[in-house]
Amino acid sequence: MRSIAYSGKFKKDLKRYKHQKSKIEALGKIIRSLESTGRVPEEYDPHKLHGIYEGCMECHVESDFLLIWIDEKTGLIKLLRLGTHHELFGL
């Protein structure tokens, strides 16, 4: 079992979505999977990032609702950001 840590930006991002039940439920499923297995189910399209998030992973909680995290390889997974493509990458 891995430990989950939350960045300050992730906590702020989460507050913006706390009233969107379907997003929060799907996010919870992903976080539980990360905590228990260290992996995200393939249905959420987990993949490595480049650029400013080099070394991080991203998955699609919903089509345009993304989670960015980093696996510290020490049993700690840090959740970094949560949001749309536009919010996270300016696209």
Side-chain angles (χ1 to χ4, degrees):
M1 187 152 211
R2 286 138 183 94
S3 297
I4 303 290
Y6 307 90
S7 74
K9 286 190 176 199
F10 176 86
K11 290 176 185 178
K12 281 185 174 181
D13 294 338
L14 184 60
K15 282 183 182 180
R16 285 196 317 269
Y17 293 98
K18 68 182 178 182
H19 298 294
Q20 296 183 32
K21 188 177 179 179
S22 68
K23 286 179 171 49
I24 298 303
E25 287 175 356
L27 177 64
K29 181 179 176 184
I30 291 169
I31 293 172
R32 286 188 297 277
S33 180
L34 278 170
E35 189 173 37
S36 64
T37 68
R39 302 184 71 184
V40 171
E42 288 299 317
E43 67 192 77
Y44 296 104
D45 189 28
H47 53 278
K48 292 180 182 179
L49 292 175
H50 305 283
I52 64 170
Y53 290 108
E54 182 77 35
C56 297
M57 297 288 292
E58 174 198 275
C59 71
H60 294 254
V61 179
E62 290 184 352
S63 64
D64 192 26
F65 184 56
L66 314 171
L67 170 64
I68 298 175
W69 75 95
I70 188 164
D71 185 346
E72 301 286 348
K73 302 294 183 200
T74 60
L76 176 68
I77 295 172
K78 187 167 186 178
L79 305 182
L80 301 176
R81 294 297 311 266
L82 185 68
T84 65
H85 284 95
H86 180 74
E87 291 167 341
L88 300 176
F89 305 109
L91 301 176

